Every structure is written in structure tokens, then in C-alpha cells.
Amino acid sequence: TERGAKNTLEVYFPGAQLVIGSANNDNTLQQTPYRYTFGDEVRSWPKGALEMFSKRTRSYPNYKRIIISTPDMEDDHLHRGYKSGDQCMYYVTCPCCGDEQPLEWGREDKKGGMQWDRNEITCPNGEWDMEEVFRTIRYDCRNPDCDHRWENNPTDRKAMQRSGRWIPHNDKAPKHRRSFHWNAILPWWTKWPEMVEEFLKGSAALEIGEHEPYKDFINETLGQ
């Protein structure tokens, strides 16, 4: 049969069932209670849907509610959910100086983070030569007294990923409410050159008043 010929929204396993529903359907959000709920890409859910979805677990004292999404706007329902948790951020440890640091996009006026060279080779006459830019991409330690850099190769990328740990930033959150933030810099299989190119194109678009490419970079790549 054709893959699209059957649309299964309920799958039954021994002792449990998996129910798949739409956040655009109020009946799905208001009916059966569940002990475990998983909300995917909640930034695209309609207003009020996340709150309604969260009530599906109230019948169980030992529920688990998991929400996964890239972000959208500041103080929207996803951002509020993150802020209500312990706000764990992923920190990597420099193998040279031992400094723990969050994964950040670099700036020309500040040491550390994702960096690349800007000179007459990489940016002749004010125009980026992307192939030359790609040769200089690295991630620099933020410690002003340390010259360590992670290069864009699988060995360094995997070492960076394994060196990290989650550090909470909100000690006022309930103990059972965990929230996590990380970005596309971390996984070793993502391509740093593509991120830098996306940033430069988004910045250029921003200069002429087109906001969406830069916003997509901030949301989708940096997870902010």
C-alpha cells in the first residue's frame, strides 16, 4: 500500500497506547487525560493551546509533561515555559584553562564564541569571500588569558560536546520543573560554515530592512 494511504493517530502497545493529536483541534486538547504528554514545536501552536494541553495530566500525581520546540518571540508561551523552569544552559569546558562557558555566537569587539577573520583576504573591498571565510572559522575560548580554539573538525567538535554539562540559572523554580536551552553550535554533525553564511546573509538583509532571515537565524540556529 502507499505510505500516505493510511493515517494512524492511535497505536496500541501492551499496557499502553500512543495517541497523536493536533494542537489546532480543541477536542484533542480537551478530552482524555494522559500521564505522559509530549508537545512538539509548540511555538506554532495557537494561543491558549499549550495551557489547555498542560491540563491533560492533572488526573495523575506522577505525570510527566515534555515540551520541545525552537523558540519564536520573547515572552511568548514557549519562552514563559522555559523561564518557569530551572533554565539549564549547556556549558562547555576549555581543555586548556578549564573555563566553563556557554555556547555563544561571537562578536568582533569581544573575545570568545564563534569567530572568523575579517581582513583583505576574507572580505576584500567590503565583500565577503565565503570560501576564504570558511577557512578561518573556529570557536574561541572566552578567557582573555587563553588562546585555545576549537577547530571545525569532528575531533574538536566531539571533544567540545563531551566536555559540557547543564548548569541551571533559576534556583527559584520548582524542583520538578526542568527547562533546557542549547543551540546548533553544539552537535558535532552540524556545519559551522553554513551557520556563518546564514548569519552574514541575515545581517545583510537586516541592513535593508528585511528582518525574517536574521530572525530565522536567531530562532532556528541560536535557539533564542
Side-chain angles (χ1 to χ4, degrees):
T1 60
E2 296 181 7
R3 291 184 63 185
K6 188 175 182 180
N7 186 11
T8 301
L9 297 180
E10 295 188 20
V11 182
Y12 293 86
F13 302 95
Q17 70 178 119
L18 171 66
V19 179
I20 303 170
S22 169
N24 292 302
N25 187 331
D26 287 348
N27 290 330
T28 301
L29 298 174
Q30 293 174 342
Q31 290 179 346
T32 311
Y34 297 100
R35 178 168 291 156
Y36 306 112
T37 58
F38 302 84
D40 186 42
E41 286 300 335
V42 299
R43 73 170 185 172
S44 302
W45 289 15
K47 186 177 181 180
L50 179 58
E51 290 77 9
M52 199 180 301
F53 169 78
S54 299
K55 291 180 174 62
R56 298 280 60 76
T57 58
R58 289 195 301 187
S59 299
Y60 297 95
N62 57 341
Y63 69 85
K64 288 188 183 297
R65 186 188 306 142
I66 298 175
I67 298 169
I68 304 171
S69 182
T70 48
D72 190 17
M73 301 299 291
E74 187 172 7
D75 288 327
D76 62 10
H77 53 243
L78 174 64
H79 191 205
R80 292 195 302 272
Y82 172 75
K83 291 195 296 184
S84 70
D86 59 357
Q87 299 178 31
C88 286
M89 294 181 63
Y90 198 80
Y91 279 63
V92 296
T93 303
C94 175
C96 292
C97 69
D99 183 76
E100 286 189 312
Q101 49 203 279
L103 290 168
E104 297 178 337
W105 199 254
R107 292 171 18 192
E108 288 190 63
D109 60 346
K110 182 180 178 182
K111 187 179 185 301
M114 185 73 75
Q115 297 284 355
W116 58 94
D117 293 345
R118 180 171 188 149
N119 51 44
E120 286 303 315
I121 297 175
T122 61
C123 193
N125 301 317
E127 296 289 335
W128 291 106
D129 184 329
M130 296 311 303
E131 287 299 325
E132 295 296 336
V133 169
F134 294 162
R135 294 187 179 95
T136 69
I137 292 173
R138 73 277 180 185
Y139 192 95
D140 290 345
C141 176
R142 68 177 180 179
N143 185 342
D145 299 320
C146 180
D147 295 326
H148 179 75
R149 59 175 53 177
W150 287 271
E151 301 292 347
N152 184 33
N153 60 64
T155 300
D156 277 15
R157 298 283 302 277
K158 289 179 181 180
M160 168 187 273
Q161 185 173 304
R162 286 193 293 261
S163 75
R165 69 185 180 105
W166 295 102
I167 297 180
H169 285 253
N170 179 18
D171 58 5
K172 302 296 190 298
K175 292 183 179 180
H176 69 278
R177 190 169 299 153
R178 309 295 306 278
S179 58
F180 301 89
H181 170 264
W182 59 286
N183 58 48
I185 296 173
L186 180 62
W188 67 267
W189 59 85
T190 57
K191 295 179 173 58
W192 284 355
E194 289 184 358
M195 297 180 206
V196 171
E197 186 172 18
E198 180 188 8
F199 169 77
L200 293 175
K201 288 182 177 179
S203 299
L206 193 62
E207 291 179 358
I208 61 174
E210 188 177 348
H211 297 83
E212 284 304 314
Y214 189 78
K215 179 179 181 294
D216 286 343
F217 168 76
I218 295 296
N219 290 159
E220 301 285 345
T221 299
L222 296 189
Q224 296 177 354

